[in-house]
């Protein structure tokens, strides 16, 4: 595919680990932070939220929230989808449930 | 109770947090270590094991293993019971299941 044909989605590259690469210990360590655990719980309703909304709900500066959201994305807990200038964040519920059944329920109980 | 009447169990004091004090984020962070996660999985059959047996199964020096076992005990994942000169370690399955249903299953799946 030539560069000219790259779709907006391809140009706006946001890295996510493959579902097969998710590691339980790494995920546990990452969500084992009270703030990140709260973010996971906020996202448990599966409504994709812009970063700004997550920040507001957490009462955090956007930069701080972005940092934590990046960690959650990098270990495979969340998915970030670019839409225009906004980024929408949601839980990777299907992948997590497939790899670690019951994990999301434990985290968001 | 006078010191003279102290039972062996009372003299051999091993601290464990109350079930009500267990914190999910703290537990997640602590088991989010590959080695400690392996120890939890080893203990999943609920057979209390002396520290030496856990060390041997993990292929670790006793001192290293003791360190990790202490961390697991301090956050409430395991219970240590003194019997003579030995200490037997087991999962706190009932307390964990009561506070965080499904957690042990997720960890030991």
């Amino acid at each position: 595919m030539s560069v000219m044909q790259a779709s907006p989605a391809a140009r706006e590259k946001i890295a996510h680990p493959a579902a097969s690469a998710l590691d339980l210990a790494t995920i546990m360590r990452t969500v084992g932070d009270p703030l990140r655990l709260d973010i996971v719980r906020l996202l448990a309703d599966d409504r994709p939220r812009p970063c700004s909304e997550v920040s507001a709900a957490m009462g955090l500066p956007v930069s701080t929230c972005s940092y934590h959201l990046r960690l959650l994305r990098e270990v495979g807990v969340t998915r970030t989808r670019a839409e225009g200038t906004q980024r929408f964040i949601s839980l990777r519920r299907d992948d997590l449930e497939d790899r670690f059944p019951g994990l999301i329920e434990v985290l968001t109980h």
Side-chain angles (χ1 to χ4, degrees), chain A:
Chain A
M1 186 166 71
S2 82
V3 172
M4 297 298 287
Q5 292 173 322
S7 69
R11 286 201 304 273
E12 181 80 43
K13 188 96 180 179
I14 303 171
H16 294 88
S20 60
L22 304 190
D23 177 69
L24 184 59
T26 304
I27 288 176
M28 290 282 175
R29 203 160 58 238
T30 305
V31 299
D33 172 276
L35 207 149
R36 290 194 286 273
L37 187 54
D38 279 346
I39 293 175
V40 169
R41 287 169 173 166
L42 175 72
L43 297 173
D45 63 1
D46 295 321
R47 182 169 67 77
R49 287 171 169 79
C51 187
S52 58
E53 189 180 327
V54 177
S55 302
M58 293 290 125
L60 289 174
V62 172
S63 59
T64 305
C65 197
S66 292
Y67 164 75
H68 290 290
L69 288 171
R70 178 169 62 76
L71 292 184
L72 289 171
R73 171 172 56 79
E74 287 177 348
V75 302
V77 171
T78 59
R79 188 174 294 286
T80 301
R81 183 171 49 83
E83 203 165 284
T85 59
Q86 283 201 309
R87 294 180 163 214
F88 286 83
I89 293 109
S90 56
L91 278 188
R92 287 179 65 172
R93 183 179 290 272
D94 292 351
D95 289 335
L96 290 169
E97 194 57 26
D98 186 53
R99 288 293 317 279
F100 314 113
L103 173 63
I104 293 183
E105 176 65 20
V106 169
L107 296 178
T108 61
H109 187 69

